[in-house]
Amino acid sequence: MRRILSILVVLSVLLLTGCATKARSDALTTTLKAYGSTLRWGDFQSAAQFIDPAVRAAHPLTPLQLARYRQVRVSEYDDGAGPVPSGDFDVQQTVLINLVNVHTQSERSVVDHQSWHYDEKTKRWWLTSGLPDITQD
């Protein structure tokens, strides 16, 4: 009887863990789609809301950065193979972003190496790597 009870407890824990993992995975999918959509529309100011609040407070966007983001339009956002787990609560994603300068109409590409972290308290995924560096060559 004691053995059966132990097995039931272990199965219950595994089931709950599976549910938590599924919920975390679903939240990641939703977050990455929303972030990608926000960038596709070129709304970098709204995209900043995906950045971890601690990172955002430590590294606020400068007026110069905001001006640079206003100078470009996103013509393509390719998340390729999607996110790759780098821990229980972390994923990495590499995205190719094509940008068009609104003044010169010249197009160029930047590679954005994104790091995402899941916060168990808020049940949210946060971008910890910041917005894409659009000044890279």
Side-chain angles (χ1 to χ4, degrees):
M1 177 71 162
R2 186 176 217 156
R3 182 177 169 101
I4 292 174
L5 197 54
S6 296
I7 291 172
L8 287 175
V9 168
V10 169
L11 288 175
S12 297
V13 169
L14 289 174
L15 182 61
L16 289 175
T17 303
C19 290
T21 302
K22 171 85 168 105
R24 194 167 56 233
S25 177
D26 290 347
L28 176 63
T29 300
T30 301
T31 300
L32 292 179
K33 283 183 181 180
Y35 180 74
S37 178
T38 302
L39 280 186
R40 280 182 185 96
W41 282 102
D43 190 355
F44 290 94
Q45 200 147 13
S46 293
Q49 300 308 306
F50 288 86
I51 299 173
D52 184 300
V55 173
R56 200 170 46 230
H59 306 283
L61 290 174
T62 66
L64 178 59
Q65 288 172 310
L66 291 171
R68 285 181 175 150
Y69 287 128
R70 284 192 295 272
Q71 286 184 321
V72 296
R73 294 291 176 251
V74 175
S75 60
E76 184 176 356
Y77 181 91
D78 182 5
D79 54 10
V84 176
S86 60
D88 288 341
F89 299 101
D90 297 291
V91 296
Q92 304 289 318
Q93 177 170 255
T94 301
V95 177
L96 179 67
I97 303 172
N98 290 344
L99 303 168
V100 176
N101 183 304
V102 297
H103 302 294
T104 64
Q105 294 302 303
S106 62
E107 185 175 32
R108 63 192 177 86
S109 299
V110 296
V111 176
D112 184 25
H113 299 283
Q114 301 171 0
S115 297
W116 293 86
H117 177 75
Y118 185 74
D119 182 357
E120 288 188 283
K121 286 182 190 173
T122 61
K123 305 275 190 245
R124 279 193 64 170
W125 284 92
W126 293 105
L127 180 63
T128 57
S129 54
L131 293 180
D133 177 8
I134 63 170
T135 63
Q136 59 182 298
D137 291 330

